[in-house]
Amino acid sequence: MCGIAGAVAQRDVAEILIEGLRRLEYRGYDSAGVAVINGGELQRTRRVGKVQELSAAIESEPLAGGTGIAHTRWATHGEPNQSNAHPHISTDTIAVVHNGIIENHVKLREMLKGLGYCFSSDTDTEVICHLVHHELKSHSSLLAAVQATVKQLEGAYGTVVIDKTDNERMIVARSGSPLVIGYGLGEHFVASDQLALLPVTRSFAFLEEGDVAEVTRREVNIFDVDGNAVTREIKESEVTHDAGDKGEYRHYMLKEIYEQPRALAHTLDGRIAAGQVLDSAFGDNATKLLKDIKHVQIIACGTSYHAGMAARYWLEDWAGVSCNVEIASEFRYRKSHLFPNSLLVTISQSGETADTLAALRLAKEMGYKATMTICNAPGSSLVRESDMAYMMKAGAEIGVASTKAFTVQLAGLLMLTAVVGRNNGMDEGLQAQITQSLQSMPAKVEQALGLDDAIAELAEDFADKHHALFLGRGDQYPIAMEGALKLKEISYIHAEAYASGELKHGPLALIDADMPVIVVAPNNELLEKLKSNVEEVRARGGLMYVFADRDAQFESDDTMKVIPVPHCDEFMAALIYTIPMQLLSYHVALIKGTDVDQPRNLAKSVTVE
Ligand code: F6R
């Protein structure tokens, strides 16, 4: 979603800001802009489309100046055009960038119009800059004006404000939309994601909800929601990823698919000893907080939700606790029942998904025994606000379609199953089997990646298709859902997933030669049932692509292509069958020529509702 970069420095900052925006491109956006203060004047350049177009515009008309702000916009209020692109400017004096949504913008707009302000965009953001301009008339500093402004805002914001009459500072404010301050030598930066600032600093402090900060070249002064001066810990970033580096790969998505063995090895590192998953994988308090857990409520969105759905089978079957899984946007707006000794688990690659964060906050109010997040972003809101965190250590994921984050989430959830199960009397043999399975995942995934060429060939069959159906049973049903989501996201083919036992309750009516049916078929106790479902499809003239264990005894014929998947145990089957689903969607998207890493209309980190 929208991205922010800002700087106060002695050198010209336009290039730094543009590079920051490039590093945020993966989040999804439709226009971009930058404004700097130069010789007491605001200079602004905005473009619809890619950051490259903004960069080219600045190359032909350079922007000089040491204080500036920049933004990539993902349209919410107002179409993606140049006048709606940020930064927005009030009365040629105040410039603002903003992530989030101002819910009371209509009321504020009317009030500001009444005061004589003219609006030049359809955005909710523009109210912020006029409001700051208005408040400056009765406040002695930009800081005080911004503090007075944010008190009037309802909704979510991460915002940065500069004033052309004061090129020494920027004011940043956070509520519901993350902002991180980057500390340099004699210069300071701000961004919505630390990735944006890695070329200029590795020292970061994350603002907390309600914080407003005054950032100058020499100082950063942070104030909490009540206006008290506070300190926020400055940490050295552990993120090593160079967002500009796709290496030998054509797309980040492919790179990230191939990074999975390494990401899995990394996530397991130091978390298993003496054949057991260590409680400490989930943080220092885990031994105490996980002790009496009898029920697990999992909350997530999208791909992360699918990981949670798979884990439900494991927690109930192997760990012996009841488990519910719900989409965050549903959970947060309904009354749900709280079971005794319940653990709330959020799953999120970004750690900033607005609905998941709201669900966590609601759960805390409801009185869950403990909260945990399975998350890939250190310092993110979900990590900071949860009692426990399983840090995924998958490395930054840049492709909008989540791949390595999903498989690492599955590994983390299998570890959770082992730990919760141990506290509920799981026998040692089962614990050892799970542990062994975890340890052999990286090598097995490597084998599964060997399917790449065969899948690339198969993908040709999908090039002219408009629909596809994915089928699975048990913990492969969520994998079928994930396969369908990946195909939708990056190839724009309509795809649906069904638990194959549901076929005859409706979807069978869709089957014909134009509807490819993708089946995930490991060799488990549901195999015979799945085979019956496959026959139901065959009898109706459907074309099937069956990803099957070599012992499952499927044979290719005119109506069915069988793709043998490396043999694997039941603990890792969901994870292993995910790999061909990822590769299939990738190759179909390549053939269709879509923007694989930044598919249309989508954002990497969904920080608004
Ligand atoms: C799909 C995808 C999304 C995310 C969802 C939740 O490929 O990436 O469905 O999984 O937006 O995001 P996180 O995990 O960051 O909470």
Side-chain angles (χ1 to χ4, degrees):
M1 243 159 204
C2 308
I4 287 177
V8 194
Q10 213 163 17
R11 50 180 165 161
D12 287 342
V13 291
E15 256 314 302
I16 295 171
L17 299 180
I18 295 290
E19 178 55 23
L21 294 188
R22 270 199 200 101
R23 289 167 169 263
L24 297 176
E25 279 193 293
Y26 74 97
R27 299 167 69 97
Y29 68 102
D30 40 54
S31 54
V34 59
V36 294
I37 304 172
N38 184 14
E41 288 305 323
L42 275 174
Q43 291 186 334
R44 171 175 67 174
T45 306
R46 299 180 290 175
R47 287 293 179 274
V48 175
K50 297 287 178 195
V51 171
Q52 184 45 39
E53 287 168 47
L54 179 68
S55 171
I58 291 172
E59 244 167 62
S60 56
E61 271 186 61
L63 296 179
T67 298
I69 52 178
H71 191 259
T72 46
R73 173 174 187 254
W74 191 81
T76 56
H77 294 68
E79 63 182 84
N81 60 27
Q82 194 157 307
S83 45
N84 286 334
H86 302 207
H88 289 287
I89 292 182
S90 177
T91 327
D92 198 26
T93 311
I94 302 294
V96 165
V97 290
H98 162 231
N99 287 356
I101 291 178
I102 304 304
E103 287 168 359
N104 59 338
H105 73 103
V106 175
K107 201 171 108 209
L108 291 172
R109 183 179 271 255
E110 287 317 306
M111 186 268 283
L112 288 159
K113 277 184 180 167
L115 292 168
Y117 286 97
C118 295
F119 281 76
S120 57
S121 79
D122 305 318
T123 64
D124 52 335
T125 300
E126 201 180 344
V127 300
I128 303 178
C129 58
H130 294 313
L131 209 48
V132 172
H133 185 270
H134 173 64
E135 290 297 338
L136 253 181
K137 293 173 195 162
S138 53
H139 290 88
S140 56
S141 67
L142 187 61
L143 171 68
V146 172
Q147 283 171 320
T149 297
V150 295
K151 286 206 175 90
Q152 300 168 63
L153 303 179
E154 289 166 19
Y157 53 82
T159 189
V160 189
V161 183
I162 54 175
D163 175 352
K164 77 168 185 184
T165 65
D166 179 1
N167 69 355
E168 286 288 309
R169 77 197 70 241
M170 55 187 175
I171 308 296
V172 306
R174 173 205 167 135
S175 179
S177 209
L179 282 178
V180 61
I181 302 207
Y183 290 74
L185 280 178
E187 54 188 16
H188 287 118
F189 308 92
V190 63
S192 48
D193 183 328
Q194 54 182 317
L195 268 185
L197 301 178
L198 287 179
V200 283
T201 181
R202 302 196 73 82
S203 305
F204 295 104
F206 292 90
L207 290 188
E208 297 199 356
E209 287 299 278
D211 282 357
V212 178
E214 182 177 43
V215 181
T216 69
R217 280 203 295 119
R218 304 203 182 283
E219 278 182 337
V220 176
N221 298 308
I222 306 177
F223 303 89
D224 68 11
V225 70
D226 299 318
N228 304 311
V230 284
T231 48
R232 303 291 177 220
E233 194 185 350
I234 303 171
K235 289 188 184 157
E236 286 300 298
S237 172
E238 286 171 14
V239 179
T240 53
H241 179 88
D242 181 353
D245 181 16
K246 280 191 222 135
E248 66 194 271
Y249 298 97
R250 190 162 157 196
H251 293 101
Y252 285 113
M253 181 180 177
L254 189 63
K255 175 173 180 264
E256 287 156 7
I257 289 174
Y258 271 86
E259 275 173 356
Q260 289 176 107
R262 192 151 45 98
L264 285 162
H266 209 184
T267 207
L268 296 173
D269 193 27
R271 287 170 166 170
I272 292 176
Q276 293 207 327
V277 176
L278 302 175
D279 291 351
S280 58
F282 301 93
D284 296 341
N285 298 328
T287 304
K288 192 169 119 225
L289 293 176
L290 290 177
K291 199 159 173 280
D292 300 314
I293 294 303
K294 297 288 173 224
H295 176 78
V296 179
Q297 172 70 59
I298 297 178
I299 302 289
C301 303
T303 288
S304 300
Y305 168 69
H306 295 155
M309 280 189 69
R312 178 178 169 205
Y313 289 88
W314 310 339
L315 283 159
E316 298 220 331
D317 190 352
W318 303 324
V321 294
S322 60
C323 176
N324 287 338
V325 189
E326 191 159 354
I327 294 166
S329 54
E330 287 299 312
F331 180 83
R332 67 179 287 194
Y333 286 120
R334 76 177 185 89
K335 282 217 164 56
S336 59
H337 182 73
L338 176 61
F339 296 95
N341 290 348
S342 282
L343 169 71
L344 183 104
V345 177
T346 57
I347 309 171
S348 175
Q349 189 283 128
S350 64
E352 299 293 350
T353 302
D355 284 322
T356 311
L357 192 53
L360 167 67
R361 289 174 183 160
L362 172 68
K364 287 170 91 167
E365 276 171 28
M366 286 171 71
Y368 273 78
K369 177 157 192 263
T371 59
M372 169 189 294
T373 188
I374 295 190
C375 186
N376 199 31
S380 62
S381 302
L382 281 173
V383 171
R384 283 187 285 109
E385 295 186 29
S386 301
D387 301 328
M388 290 170 276
Y390 176 88
M391 293 316 306
M392 288 161 52
K393 301 195 216 162
E397 192 178 66
I398 303 293
V400 163
S402 190
T403 51
K404 64 175 177 174
F406 179 69
T407 47
V408 170
Q409 284 167 353
L410 289 178
L413 287 159
L414 188 56
M415 290 201 221
L416 181 64
T417 304
V419 170
V420 171
R422 186 163 66 225
N423 293 341
N424 281 281
M426 180 190 278
D427 72 58
E428 283 188 11
L430 182 52
Q431 283 184 59
Q433 279 179 297
I434 292 180
T435 311
Q436 272 164 17
S437 184
L438 282 161
Q439 286 169 320
S440 49
M441 275 174 183
K444 246 332 159 202
V445 170
E446 199 76 64
Q447 278 180 33
L449 288 168
L451 293 170
D452 198 0
D453 289 345
I455 292 175
E457 216 173 282
L458 191 85
E460 304 281 346
D461 293 9
F462 289 75
D464 61 341
K465 296 290 186 280
H466 299 289
H467 309 277
L469 195 61
F470 286 71
L471 299 179
R473 291 192 84 122
D475 69 356
Q476 293 291 337
Y477 168 42
I479 303 313
M481 294 174 80
E482 177 57 10
L485 179 63
K486 288 284 95 83
L487 193 69
K488 274 187 262 220
E489 276 183 295
I490 61 167
S491 73
Y492 313 150
I493 291 177
H494 168 229
E496 286 200 58
Y498 273 93
S500 52
E502 271 292 289
L503 260 188
K504 55 173 85 65
H505 300 291
L508 214 44
L510 293 171
I511 303 297
D512 64 17
D514 286 330
M515 170 74 98
V517 179
I518 296 100
V519 186
V520 273
N523 188 16
N524 61 20
E525 79 274 7
L526 292 170
L527 182 64
E528 291 312 314
K529 307 258 175 229
L530 187 76
K531 281 187 170 171
S532 311
N533 304 137
V534 164
E535 289 312 316
E536 289 163 5
V537 175
R538 195 202 294 275
R540 279 137 189 110
L543 273 180
M544 278 172 296
Y545 299 85
V546 182
F547 291 86
D549 186 276
R550 58 165 193 243
D551 297 335
Q553 292 175 341
F554 283 98
E555 283 193 16
S556 293
D557 59 27
D558 289 351
T559 58
M560 181 156 80
K561 283 191 185 170
V562 179
I563 304 93
V565 176
H567 185 64
C568 59
D569 63 48
E570 59 181 325
F571 307 106
M572 67 164 89
L575 190 146
I576 297 302
Y577 280 75
T578 301
I579 309 299
M581 299 298 103
Q582 296 171 343
L583 289 168
L584 179 65
S585 64
Y586 176 74
H587 286 294
V588 175
L590 270 193
I591 293 166
K592 300 204 81 168
T594 58
D595 189 345
V596 172
D597 284 332
Q598 290 166 38
R600 67 186 182 201
N601 307 337
L602 296 181
K604 182 71 184 162
S605 178
V606 184
T607 49
V608 295
E609 255 192 277

